[in-house]
Structures are given as structure tokens and as C-alpha cells.
Amino acid sequence: MRVYKFDEIDSTNKFLKEKLDLEERDLAIAKIQTAGRGRRGNKWISSEGAALFSFVLKYDPSIPDNEYMKLSLVVGYSLLKTMQKIEPLDYKFKWTNDLYLEDKKLSGILIEKIGNYIIIGIGININNLEFGEAKDIAISLKTKTGKNYNLESIIENVVNSFFEDFSKFKNGNWKEMLKEINNINYLYGKRIDIVGISKEESGIAGDILEDGRLEVFVGNEIKKYNIGEIHISKK
């Protein structure tokens, strides 16, 4: 594992995407990101004290592309397991790429493919107490427990656990993982708005399905989504 550390950088994902000699498990860590992003280009507030990092997974052509559609779920599953070992709290997984605690966002995941490699970017609010514009929707571990944590130790544990869990995923453990994810499915039973598709729709969220899609009860129909940004409905 090659580790690149930065006091400040625009984006750890961008840094790895622009490297010409990528290797699996390359890891970039930043104290501050000035241009961190979430899915669909959303800005990720990256204040000092958060665990901000990206690492490299080599694309395996023997795995069907539709299986890679589940990757953010595998990352989320693995991240939840790791966080439970650090602090056994009531974490929830918000499809497709967020970790929640007490109805607030604790972590976000961003996955991007570049050539034969996949860059997995993760931001976890750990020791930070400032959330900028996200102050009403974000939480950190320190906010909850009052403790300080070793960020590099957490990052190392997250990365190592992911590769262990990805190996289990490749070896056929997806149904077991999915069952655990659905046990902590943050959206289940909530009225949600799905935006960013051909039209905005609203419905009641159900389970995360075996193919990684989310089932949503829209009127008398059951619809299945694999894209779209989810908001809890205020209606």
C-alpha cells in the first residue's frame, strides 16, 4: 500500500484519478479538502478533523458489470461494520452511499472508475465539530461521544476491512451482506422524493433489492430505482 498524505488538497479522488501509475490499495489522505464532492457533483463539507481519504480497487473483468452496481453497497456495509467496532452506535445506511447517525449524515461515499481502476472516496465526520452549510444535517462521532479519535487508525481499518469484505462479496456472500444492510435501511418505510431522473417521483421506500436497486411504492405500483438522488419528503 502506497500512502499519500496532504495537509490540504482539492480532492483525494482527483489526485488518484490523475496518477499515471496507479496500484491497487494506493491511498490518499487529506486533513482538508477544498473541492470534495459527493454523488451527482454535490459538495462535501471537508473540515479538519474529518477522515477524508480515497483508495484504489483494481477492476476485475471476471466480475460482470452489473455486479459492480452493488459496489457502493458493499463499501457501505463494510464501513458500517468498521464503525460499529469503533463505537457501537445505531448507524443506518441510506441508499446508495451515505451513513447516518441520529437522522444526520455521518459519512458519504463516492465511487469513480478510471481505466482499469476504481477510486473509492470516503469522508467520515469523526473529530470535526464544524459542518458549515451542512450544520443542520450533519453529525460527527465526537459530537455524539465527546471523544477524540485517531483518524489514520480509523482509515487503515476501513480500507483493510473493505478488501476483506470485497473478497467475501466476490466469493458469493452478497445475500448475507444485503440482509444486514436491509436491517439498517434508513429509508425503509419513509416517504421519499426521487430527483435527478426523467421526472421527479414520490413514494414509500421499501427494501434494497438483490440487484442493488431500491424498491419504492409509488401509488399502486412498485418501482425499482438504480439512479436518482433521494430526499426525505416534507409533504
Side-chain angles (χ1 to χ4, degrees):
M1 177 190 290
R2 300 183 298 182
V3 181
Y4 305 90
K5 299 179 183 179
F6 303 93
D7 287 336
E8 184 175 305
I9 195 173
D10 51 359
S11 163
T12 53
N13 260 44
K14 183 173 179 285
F15 168 77
L16 290 176
K17 284 170 64 179
E18 292 177 350
K19 278 189 65 60
L20 299 177
D21 62 337
L22 280 179
E23 295 179 6
E24 184 162 84
R25 292 181 181 255
D26 279 355
L27 171 64
I29 302 171
K31 290 183 179 179
I32 296 173
Q33 284 191 133
T34 58
R37 292 182 300 115
R39 285 181 74 243
R40 306 183 66 82
N42 292 331
K43 187 175 180 181
W44 171 255
I45 304 301
S46 305
S47 56
E48 189 165 359
L52 307 169
F53 59 104
S54 301
F55 60 95
V56 177
L57 171 69
K58 187 170 175 53
Y59 179 77
D60 185 344
S62 71
I63 300 175
D65 283 342
N66 65 307
E67 290 297 293
Y68 274 106
M69 295 293 291
K70 305 169 185 174
L71 185 57
S72 65
L73 305 179
V74 177
V75 177
Y77 163 86
S78 187
L79 179 58
L80 280 158
K81 279 180 49 187
T82 305
M83 296 305 295
Q84 282 284 6
K85 291 175 184 176
I86 296 164
E87 287 290 351
L89 301 172
D90 188 23
Y91 305 104
K92 300 291 183 183
F93 181 73
K94 178 176 176 284
W95 183 89
T96 59
N97 65 327
D98 292 330
L99 187 63
Y100 269 48
L101 178 64
E102 295 187 347
D103 291 317
K104 292 187 175 183
K105 184 172 178 177
L106 181 73
S107 175
I109 300 162
L110 175 65
I111 296 175
E112 300 179 285
K113 187 172 182 293
I114 179 77
N116 292 320
Y117 294 93
I118 297 169
I119 313 299
I120 299 171
I122 300 177
I124 316 170
N125 292 323
I126 302 291
N127 295 327
N128 49 314
L129 298 175
E130 298 293 330
F131 307 105
E133 296 175 0
K135 60 182 172 50
D136 294 327
I137 59 171
I139 191 172
S140 69
L141 216 52
K142 185 173 182 178
T143 304
K144 174 66 177 175
T145 67
K147 301 177 186 177
N148 279 306
Y149 299 87
N150 184 313
L151 295 181
E152 290 194 13
S153 175
I154 289 175
I155 291 169
E156 181 181 356
N157 286 334
V158 168
V159 174
N160 288 337
S161 293
F162 165 75
F163 280 100
E164 290 176 9
D165 290 321
F166 187 68
S167 179
K168 293 176 184 176
F169 170 71
K170 289 195 296 183
N171 290 327
N173 283 31
W174 170 239
K175 288 186 178 180
E176 177 186 322
M177 293 179 175
L178 181 62
K179 182 178 179 181
E180 293 193 37
I181 292 170
N182 271 316
N183 285 339
I184 49 172
N185 179 359
Y186 178 73
L187 294 176
Y188 185 84
K190 290 182 170 67
R191 176 163 289 280
I192 61 173
D193 299 321
I194 306 100
V195 298
I197 51 178
S198 56
K199 62 178 180 177
E200 182 173 332
E201 292 193 290
S202 179
I204 304 297
D207 285 326
I208 299 166
L209 303 174
E210 190 170 340
D211 62 4
R213 292 185 293 175
L214 178 72
E215 68 175 358
V216 181
F217 299 87
V218 181
N220 295 322
E221 294 182 75
I222 299 177
K223 297 192 175 185
K224 301 171 183 178
Y225 294 93
N226 61 8
I227 58 171
E229 187 169 337
I230 300 296
H231 298 286
I232 306 301
S233 179
K234 296 179 180 179
K235 298 175 184 177

